[in-house]
Amino acid sequence: VAWYQDVAVESRVEWRPEGGSWQEAASTAGASLRYEALLTGLQLSSRYAYRVRGGAGGPMPDAAGRTEFSFRTPRPDAVKLAFMGDTGSGEPRQYDVAARLATEDPPPDAITVVGDLIYPHGEDAGYDPQFFAPYRSLLSAIPFYGALGNHDYETSSGAPLLAVFTLPRNCPSTLAPESAYWVERAGVLTIVHNTNLPAATLRDVALPWHATIARR
């Protein structure tokens, strides 16, 4: 679970299985008042509720005033994935896609944005109006994955995107952590590449890595 706070204060996530008792997970703080907590021991095909507490205060609300959220863990034998790209315009059609995803029943187990999350140049300032606002109702319940498009890469080699997301760190050690990765759910393998790299790096590093992962 990842979130941003207005002030730097020790925070934690309280979570519980549907109908169960509350448990706590400590948070770690990153740059720009970004926090995250790791929930462990989750069971497949189960719904969990969670809330974020800061200091001795009550649950912290999101921009819509909600203080409690929920998500469902993946099924072991089936998966529903959504992929979209060139999304970062902030235009009404981006909100239309988000609204359509919100009506899916069951909802996607994960959503991957395959590049160009923020126009025109992947700037950090674009994430609030062009990512967090359009997908606000989805982000608390569905895992989002991102890939570095050419526009995202134009600002500090994609540093703003990598700062927003928590992504798998399973790419080759010669590549920037989280810039390439793979995820497997219910036997479906997704491999994400950073195709902004020089052709020689893609040929000598990325392609052999891809072939090795695909043969798992």
Side-chain angles (χ1 to χ4, degrees):
V1 178
W3 68 96
Y4 291 86
Q5 299 179 185
D6 293 331
V7 295
V9 60
E10 183 178 350
S11 305
R12 62 197 183 279
V13 170
E14 295 178 337
W15 61 279
R16 67 177 178 183
E18 196 169 51
S21 301
W22 288 104
Q23 305 176 52
E24 285 192 3
S27 71
T28 58
S32 303
L33 296 178
R34 184 184 186 276
Y35 291 72
E36 60 182 58
L38 179 64
L39 311 188
T40 60
L42 304 181
Q43 302 298 311
L44 293 172
S45 302
S46 301
R47 178 163 295 281
Y48 292 85
Y50 69 97
R51 58 197 183 193
V52 178
R53 286 187 181 271
M60 293 190 289
D62 68 358
R66 300 177 301 166
T67 58
E68 189 167 312
F69 314 94
S70 69
F71 64 90
R72 180 173 290 280
T73 52
R75 295 158 289 176
D77 56 351
V79 65
K80 183 177 183 180
L81 304 174
F83 295 85
M84 54 188 179
D86 298 288
T87 55
S89 64
E91 297 174 356
R93 57 185 177 177
Q94 186 178 6
Y95 284 82
D96 291 342
V97 171
R100 178 66 178 84
L101 287 168
T103 66
E104 288 290 308
D105 186 21
D109 294 303
I111 297 173
T112 301
V113 187
V114 297
D116 295 345
L117 280 75
I118 303 298
Y119 285 110
H121 305 296
E123 305 93 334
D124 180 72
Y127 275 89
D128 275 345
Q130 293 161 237
F131 179 74
F132 290 113
Y135 306 126
R136 180 172 293 141
S137 66
L138 302 171
L139 286 164
S140 61
I142 301 174
F144 269 68
Y145 296 90
L148 290 165
N150 61 306
H151 288 270
D152 308 308
Y153 203 69
E154 289 174 3
T155 296
S156 304
S157 300
L161 184 152
L162 298 177
V164 163
F165 285 83
T166 299
L167 299 169
R169 301 175 69 89
N170 52 18
C171 69
S173 59
T174 52
L175 301 180
E178 302 179 278
S179 64
Y181 55 90
W182 59 270
V183 179
E184 187 171 2
R185 288 176 181 261
V188 177
L189 177 65
T190 301
I191 304 175
V192 174
H193 287 275
N194 175 14
T195 57
N196 301 283
L197 299 174
T201 302
L202 295 174
R203 181 189 65 241
D204 298 337
V205 178
L207 286 180
W209 168 69
H210 182 111
T212 299
I213 298 303
R215 287 195 296 264
R216 292 178 65 252

